[in-house]
Amino acid sequence: MQLSSTLAWLVDAAAETKGADRLLADLGKHLVTDGLPLVAGSLTLDVPHPLIAQRTWLWRAESGEVVEALGFAPGAAALAPRNDAGRRWLSATATGAVHEDVIGRRQDGPLLGWIGPRPFTPREIDDLQQAARFAAAPLAVLAARATLAAALEAYLGRRSAERVLAAPLRRDLGETIQAALLYADLRDFTALSEANPPAAVISALDAWFDRIAGAVHAFGGEVLKFIGDGVLAIFPVVDDSPRRACDAALRAATAARAGMMHLDDERRRQGLPSLSFGAALHLGEMLWGNIGAANRLDFTAIGSAVNLVSRLEGLCKPLGKSVLVSGALAAETDTRLLPLGMHPLRGIAAPCEVFALPES
C-alpha cells in the first residue's frame, strides 16, 4: 500500500511526538508538504485534570507557532463550550471554510480542525479525513501518556510526578535534596470532626487546603502530602541558593495566614467557627524517593528534617504563635523574625532555636 508522506509519518513516527501540540504542528507541516493549502489548524482534547476539562492547541502554518486555549471544568469559569474554541479561532484566521473531524468512534473524541485560504476541494477534504483516521492511534498513545502524567501530578505534585515517570518503579531509588520545608495543620480538628457532619468537615478541609496549598504553589513550592488535616510541602534549593527557597517558604506562610484570615471572616458571616492553624518552617536535607512494600510504593520525603519540622509545628499552640521558624531557616533570610529562644522537641536529640513570624 502506497501511503503519502503524511500518512506514513502518522503510522511510523507520530506516536513518539513529545506532546499533542507538537503532533498538531508536525501534522500540519506534513499536510502542507503534501500539497494541502492550510492556513491554520486546531486540536481539542478532553483531559483528566482537577480544574481543566479540555485543551485546545492552535497552529499557524506561516509561522509554525502553536498556542493553547484552556476550557475549565465545571465549578470554574469556562472559556468556551467544548469544541468551540478551535472553530472560532480558525474562522477568524482565514476566509476559507473550517473543516473538522472527530478522531475515533466516540462523538466526544479528539477534534481536529483545519482552514485554508479558500474552501477545500472534495479531494482535499478526503485527504484531511484520511489524516484524521490515521491520527487516531498516535493520539491514543499521547492521550494515555498525558492521562498518566496528569493523574500523577494531581496526586503527587509536579516535581514528584516527573521523578516517578522518569525512574523505575522500585524501592531504594531516591536522592538526597536540600529544601525549605513547611508543615502545617489545623488545630482542634478532632473536635471539629465530631461536632459536624462529614460534608461540613470535608468542606472545611477543602477550604483550608486551598489556602495553604495555593500559597505554596504561588511561591514555587510543592505539596508532597496531605496527612489528615496536615500539609507537608517543600521548596527545593536550586543553584545552591537556600536563601531563595527560605524566602519563598516564608512568603507562602505569610500568604496562607492572610488567606485563612479572609476565610475565617467568611465563615463567621455564615455562623461557622473559625479555623485556627499552626505552621512550621525548617531548612534541611531529606531523602526524596520511593519507599514502601515490594509491590506497593509511596513517593515521599523522609529524614530528620521532616521529623523536626513536624515536631516544631507542635509548639505553635503552646507558644501562642501561628507560624514558627527553625534557626536553620532563620539564618538564611533577612525577613524580620521574633526570637523565642531554644526549645526541646519531642523525639529530637538537640534543642531547636525557634523564631516566630510576626503576627502583623
Coordinates of all heavy atoms in Angstrom, one line a residue, residues 63-102:
S63 N 3.9 30.6 10.5 CA 5.0 30.7 11.5 C 5.3 29.4 12.1 O 6.4 29.3 12.7 CB 4.6 31.8 12.5 OG 3.4 31.3 13.2
G64 N 4.5 28.5 12.1 CA 4.7 27.2 12.8 C 4.4 27.3 14.3 O 4.5 26.4 15.0
E65 N 3.9 28.5 14.7 CA 3.6 28.8 16.1 C 2.4 28.0 16.6 O 1.4 27.9 15.9 CB 3.4 30.3 16.3 CG 3.1 30.6 17.8 CD 2.7 32.1 17.9 OE1 2.4 32.7 16.9 OE2 2.8 32.6 19.0
V66 N 2.4 27.5 17.8 CA 1.3 26.8 18.4 C 1.0 27.5 19.8 O 1.9 27.7 20.6 CB 1.6 25.3 18.7 CG1 0.4 24.6 19.4 CG2 1.9 24.6 17.4
V67 N -0.2 27.9 20.0 CA -0.7 28.5 21.2 C -1.8 27.6 21.8 O -2.3 26.7 21.1 CB -1.2 29.9 21.1 CG1 -0.1 30.8 20.6 CG2 -2.4 30.0 20.1
E68 N -2.1 27.8 23.0 CA -3.1 26.9 23.7 C -4.2 27.7 24.3 O -4.0 28.8 24.9 CB -2.4 26.1 24.8 CG -3.3 25.0 25.4 CD -2.5 24.2 26.5 OE1 -1.3 24.4 26.6 OE2 -3.2 23.4 27.2
A69 N -5.4 27.1 24.2 CA -6.6 27.7 24.9 C -7.1 26.6 25.9 O -7.2 25.4 25.5 CB -7.7 28.1 23.9
L70 N -7.5 27.0 27.1 CA -8.0 26.0 28.1 C -9.5 26.2 28.3 O -10.0 27.3 28.3 CB -7.3 26.2 29.4 CG -5.7 26.1 29.4 CD1 -5.2 26.4 30.7 CD2 -5.4 24.7 28.9
G71 N -10.2 25.0 28.5 CA -11.6 25.0 28.9 C -11.6 24.4 30.3 O -11.1 23.3 30.5
F72 N -12.2 25.2 31.2 CA -12.1 24.7 32.6 C -13.3 23.8 33.0 O -14.4 23.9 32.4 CB -12.1 26.0 33.6 CG -10.8 26.7 33.4 CD1 -10.7 27.9 32.7 CD2 -9.7 26.3 34.1 CE1 -9.5 28.6 32.6 CE2 -8.5 27.0 34.0 CZ -8.4 28.1 33.2
A73 N -13.1 23.0 34.0 CA -14.0 22.0 34.5 C -15.2 22.8 35.2 O -15.1 23.9 35.6 CB -13.4 21.0 35.4
P74 N -16.3 22.1 35.3 CA -17.5 22.7 36.0 C -17.1 23.2 37.4 O -16.3 22.5 38.1 CB -18.5 21.6 36.1 CG -18.2 20.7 34.9 CD -16.7 20.8 34.7
G75 N -17.6 24.3 37.7 CA -17.2 24.9 39.0 C -16.2 26.0 38.9 O -16.0 26.8 39.7
A76 N -15.6 26.1 37.7 CA -14.7 27.2 37.4 C -15.2 27.9 36.1 O -16.1 27.4 35.4 CB -13.3 26.8 37.2
A77 N -14.7 29.1 35.9 CA -15.2 29.9 34.7 C -14.8 29.2 33.4 O -13.6 29.0 33.2 CB -14.7 31.3 34.8
A78 N -15.7 28.8 32.5 CA -15.3 28.2 31.3 C -15.0 29.2 30.2 O -15.7 30.2 30.1 CB -16.5 27.3 30.8
L79 N -13.9 29.0 29.5 CA -13.6 29.9 28.4 C -14.5 29.7 27.2 O -14.8 30.7 26.5 CB -12.1 29.6 28.0 CG -11.0 30.0 29.0 CD1 -9.7 29.6 28.5 CD2 -11.1 31.4 29.5
A80 N -14.9 28.5 26.9 CA -15.8 28.3 25.8 C -16.4 26.9 25.9 O -15.8 26.0 26.6 CB -14.9 28.3 24.5
P81 N -17.5 26.7 25.3 CA -18.1 25.3 25.3 C -17.1 24.4 24.6 O -16.3 24.8 23.8 CB -19.4 25.5 24.5 CG -19.7 26.9 24.6 CD -18.4 27.6 24.6
R82 N -17.3 23.1 24.8 CA -16.4 22.1 24.2 C -16.4 22.2 22.7 O -17.5 22.3 22.1 CB -16.8 20.7 24.6 CG -15.8 19.7 24.1 CD -16.1 18.3 24.5 NE -15.0 17.4 24.2 CZ -14.9 16.8 23.0 NH1 -15.8 17.0 22.1 NH2 -13.9 16.0 22.8
N83 N -15.3 22.1 22.1 CA -15.1 22.1 20.6 C -15.3 23.5 20.0 O -15.2 23.6 18.8 CB -16.0 21.1 19.9 CG -15.7 19.7 20.4 OD1 -14.7 19.4 20.9 ND2 -16.7 18.8 20.2
D84 N -15.6 24.5 20.7 CA -15.9 25.8 20.1 C -14.7 26.7 20.0 O -14.6 27.5 19.1 CB -17.0 26.5 21.0 CG -17.5 27.7 20.3 OD1 -18.0 27.6 19.2 OD2 -17.4 28.8 20.9
A85 N -13.7 26.6 20.9 CA -12.6 27.5 20.9 C -11.8 27.4 19.6 O -11.4 28.4 18.9 CB -11.7 27.3 22.1
G86 N -11.5 26.1 19.1 CA -10.7 26.0 17.9 C -11.5 26.4 16.7 O -10.9 27.1 15.8
R87 N -12.8 26.1 16.6 CA -13.6 26.5 15.5 C -13.7 28.1 15.4 O -13.5 28.6 14.3 CB -15.0 25.9 15.6 CG -15.8 26.2 14.3 CD -17.2 25.7 14.5 NE -17.2 24.3 14.9 CZ -17.7 23.8 16.0 NH1 -18.2 24.6 17.0 NH2 -17.6 22.5 16.3
R88 N -13.9 28.7 16.5 CA -14.0 30.2 16.4 C -12.6 30.8 16.0 O -12.6 31.8 15.3 CB -14.4 30.7 17.8 CG -15.9 30.4 18.1 CD -16.3 31.1 19.4 NE -15.7 30.6 20.6 CZ -14.8 31.3 21.3 NH1 -14.4 32.5 20.9 NH2 -14.2 30.8 22.3
W89 N -11.6 30.3 16.5 CA -10.2 30.8 16.2 C -9.9 30.6 14.7 O -9.4 31.5 14.0 CB -9.2 30.2 17.1 CG -7.8 30.7 16.8 CD1 -7.3 31.9 17.3 CD2 -6.8 30.1 16.0 NE1 -6.0 32.0 16.9 CE2 -5.7 31.0 16.1 CE3 -6.7 29.0 15.3 CZ2 -4.5 30.7 15.4 CZ3 -5.5 28.7 14.6 CH2 -4.4 29.5 14.7
L90 N -10.2 29.4 14.2 CA -10.0 29.1 12.8 C -10.8 30.1 11.9 O -10.3 30.6 10.9 CB -10.3 27.7 12.5 CG -9.4 26.6 13.1 CD1 -9.9 25.2 12.8 CD2 -7.9 26.7 12.5
S91 N -12.0 30.3 12.3 CA -12.9 31.1 11.5 C -12.4 32.5 11.4 O -12.6 33.2 10.4 CB -14.3 31.1 12.0 OG -14.9 29.8 12.0
A92 N -11.7 33.0 12.4 CA -11.2 34.4 12.4 C -9.8 34.5 11.8 O -9.3 35.6 11.6 CB -11.1 34.9 13.9
T93 N -9.2 33.3 11.4 CA -7.9 33.3 10.9 C -7.8 33.4 9.4 O -6.9 34.0 8.8 CB -7.1 32.0 11.4 OG1 -7.2 31.9 12.8 CG2 -5.7 32.0 10.9
A94 N -8.8 32.8 8.7 CA -8.7 32.8 7.2 C -10.1 32.9 6.7 O -11.1 32.7 7.4 CB -8.0 31.6 6.7
T95 N -10.2 33.0 5.4 CA -11.6 33.2 4.7 C -12.2 31.9 4.3 O -13.3 31.8 3.9 CB -11.5 34.1 3.5 OG1 -10.5 33.6 2.6 CG2 -11.0 35.5 4.0
G96 N -11.4 30.8 4.3 CA -11.9 29.5 3.9 C -12.9 28.9 4.9 O -13.1 29.5 5.9
A97 N -13.5 27.8 4.5 CA -14.4 27.1 5.4 C -13.7 26.2 6.3 O -12.7 25.5 6.0 CB -15.5 26.3 4.6
V98 N -14.1 26.2 7.6 CA -13.5 25.3 8.6 C -13.9 23.9 8.3 O -15.1 23.6 8.1 CB -13.9 25.7 10.0 CG1 -13.4 24.7 11.0 CG2 -13.4 27.1 10.3
H99 N -12.9 23.0 8.3 CA -13.2 21.5 8.2 C -12.8 20.9 9.5 O -11.7 21.1 10.0 CB -12.4 20.9 7.0 CG -12.6 19.4 7.0 ND1 -13.7 18.8 6.5 CD2 -11.8 18.4 7.4 CE1 -13.5 17.5 6.6 NE2 -12.4 17.2 7.2
E100 N -13.7 20.1 10.1 CA -13.4 19.4 11.3 C -13.7 17.9 11.2 O -14.7 17.5 10.6 CB -14.2 20.0 12.5 CG -13.8 21.4 12.9 CD -14.6 22.0 14.0 OE1 -15.8 21.8 14.0 OE2 -14.0 22.5 15.0
D101 N -12.9 17.1 11.9 CA -13.1 15.7 12.0 C -13.0 15.2 13.5 O -12.0 15.6 14.1 CB -12.1 14.9 11.2 CG -12.3 15.1 9.7 OD1 -13.3 14.7 9.2 OD2 -11.3 15.6 9.0
V102 N -13.9 14.4 13.9 CA -13.8 13.8 15.2 C -12.9 12.5 15.0 O -13.2 11.7 14.1 CB -15.2 13.4 15.8 CG1 -15.0 12.6 17.1 CG2 -16.0 14.6 16.0

